[in-house]
Amino acid sequence: MNAAAPNPIGPIAVIGGTGPLGMGLALRWARAGETVILGSRDAGRAQQAAAAIQRAVGGEVNVSGMENAAACAAADILMLTVPFENQASLLKHLKPSITEGSILIDATVPLAASVGGRASRPLGIWQGSAAQQAAELVPKEVSVVAAFHNVSADLLGGDAALDCDVIVCSDDPDAGQLTRDLAAKIPGVRAIDGGKLENARIVEQITALLIGLNIRHKGHAGIRITGLPPQAYR
Amino acid sequence: MNAAAPNPIGPIAVIGGTGPLGMGLALRWARAGETVILGSRDAGRAQQAAAAIQRAVGGEVNVSGMENAAACAAADILMLTVPFENQASLLKHLKPSITEGSILIDATVPLAASVGGRASRPLGIWQGSAAQQAAELVPKEVSVVAAFHNVSADLLGGDAALDCDVIVCSDDPDAGQLTRDLAAKIPGVRAIDGGKLENARIVEQITALLIGLNIRHKGHAGIRITGLPPQAYR
């Protein structure tokens, strides 16, 4: 356990956690002293990823790796970081393993790249957003939160503080607050209550815009919200 | 003429210019030494608004007021700042008055408020965005640019420097550059090339998200893009 860890919130299961966003979030939360369980289709791959995070953080850290469903069963906070084309099938696979009262934090962005199009264009989703699709696929008592769409995975995977805000949308105020507390554990990140889950429609699409900016301007774009009073953050 | 005015770009006709966004842009551009023609359905109202801007800027400023079609005919740069429900009918009315080679900068945001819904929810537009609808309604040789959606009209109408970025989308690179130059005349604003006009879909929707944040957190929200190299701006 990291000596500096204030008020751990986890354990957090990062489902589909061996991709860049999952690894980056796991790294930052492990550094903050959180217990993180990396999930992957392949348990061995999850364990290798966990070992890589342990090496990157150094010292004693609580990071382990498991098959996705086992990771899911081992935590009440589930962080979903998979490409949109895998979201629905994975949630159907996970459904029996999700424990009652769990919170699912969804960072899925429905990009046209999922169906052979461009990563700078969003797909239209019948439910309105990938997060609302997730809400339809999990057991009813699970609170779904949309967050972490607009954070650069590349920057998360590094050592420097970030320079961006995380807009958190949920119909469950407590789950939203917990997620904002988790976001604020990442140096340089401010968390903002973005209202109801339906607002994920816009937050998800912003990622497509940022990907376009990254392609055009060769960067790792994020967003900051300006013009709000200090108490709006977190 | 403002003594400090570097390289005037206008005249700029601000169509539907007596609302908060139009007045705010006109004020800031007049302060920067640009020639601004405020347009309104009612010429008298446009002249009153122009006089108010003259008083606010002080000194000698080039701001006048005309009926919308006359304003349109008097300038090659048209800044459209009307509620979405008036956009299509106004553009049909203006079409004969738009001079060849004009640039239309569209800041229209299609909000559900236009049809009795919430200002924090965007409407779905057949063409993809209000800007793309505008492009369908103007003469073919007119370049349409989408910009200024995410700037707080309230803050524009004040004296303080802003703290936000303007994302500019257009299929005409020269018109986009001109618009970014105009945006950069507003103190505190950075202009970013947001790519093709189709990307206005996302930029317009961001405004609905910001309106929701303003309602929830009592502010005047804007956005900054982070993580891009300095040359990405303007």
Side-chain angles (χ1 to χ4, degrees), chain A residues 121 163 192-195 198-199 202 205-206 209 213 216-229 232, chain B residues 121 163 167 192-195 198-199 202 205-206 213 216-229 232:
Chain A
R121 288 176 171 169
D163 178 16
I192 302 180
D193 179 0
E198 65 176 40
N199 293 342
I202 304 174
Q205 297 205 12
I206 289 173
L209 184 73
L213 292 176
R216 195 169 309 107
H217 301 294
K218 317 272 177 243
H220 297 97
I223 63 163
R224 286 281 194 200
I225 304 293
T226 62
L228 296 182
Chain B
R121 287 176 172 168
D163 177 16
I167 300 172
I192 302 180
D193 179 0
E198 65 175 40
N199 293 341
I202 304 175
Q205 296 204 13
I206 290 173
L213 291 175
R216 194 169 309 108
H217 301 293
K218 316 273 177 242
H220 298 97
I223 63 163
R224 286 280 195 201
I225 304 294
T226 62
L228 297 182

Side-chain angles (χ1 to χ4, degrees), chain B residues 70-164:
Chain B
C72 193
D76 292 336
I77 303 171
L78 313 176
M79 176 76 232
L80 189 64
T81 58
V82 290
F84 175 69
E85 63 269 29
N86 299 338
Q87 188 208 36
S89 57
L90 180 57
L91 285 175
K92 285 172 194 165
H93 166 67
L94 293 178
K95 195 169 179 180
S97 310
I98 300 180
T99 56
E100 212 174 315
S102 285
I103 291 171
L104 177 77
I105 309 172
D106 182 80
T108 310
V109 178
L111 300 175
S114 289
V115 292
R118 297 187 193 171
S120 58
R121 287 176 172 168
L123 284 178
I125 305 300
W126 185 268
Q127 296 87 341
S129 62
Q132 290 167 289
Q133 173 169 287
E136 202 176 86
L137 292 168
V138 297
K140 267 189 189 147
E141 71 278 9
V142 174
S143 290
V144 175
V145 181
F148 301 108
H149 311 85
N150 306 330
V151 184
S152 162
D154 283 351
L155 298 182
L156 270 180
D159 297 325
L162 279 85
D163 177 16
C164 66

Side-chain angles (χ1 to χ4, degrees), chain A residues 151-177:
Chain A
V151 184
S152 162
D154 283 350
L155 298 181
L156 270 179
D159 296 325
L162 279 85
D163 178 16
C164 66
D165 292 341
V166 167
I167 300 172
V168 177
C169 302
S170 181
D171 296 335
D172 176 341
D174 293 337
Q177 182 63 62

Side-chain angles (χ1 to χ4, degrees), chain B residues 200-221:
Chain B
R201 298 168 196 224
I202 304 175
V203 181
E204 290 174 7
Q205 296 204 13
I206 290 173
T207 303
L209 184 73
L210 296 179
I211 290 171
L213 291 175
N214 285 341
I215 295 169
R216 194 169 309 108
H217 301 293
K218 316 273 177 242
H220 298 97

Side-chain angles (χ1 to χ4, degrees), chain A residues 100-179:
Chain A
E100 212 174 316
S102 285
I103 291 172
L104 177 77
I105 309 171
D106 182 80
T108 309
V109 178
L111 299 175
S114 289
V115 292
R118 296 187 193 171
S120 57
R121 288 176 171 169
L123 283 178
I125 305 299
W126 185 266
Q127 296 88 340
S129 62
Q132 289 166 290
Q133 173 169 286
E136 203 177 85
L137 292 169
V138 296
K140 268 190 190 146
E141 72 277 9
V142 174
S143 290
V144 175
V145 181
F148 301 108
H149 311 85
N150 307 331
V151 184
S152 162
D154 283 350
L155 298 181
L156 270 179
D159 296 325
L162 279 85
D163 178 16
C164 66
D165 292 341
V166 167
I167 300 172
V168 177
C169 302
S170 181
D171 296 335
D172 176 341
D174 293 337
Q177 182 63 62
L178 178 145
T179 304

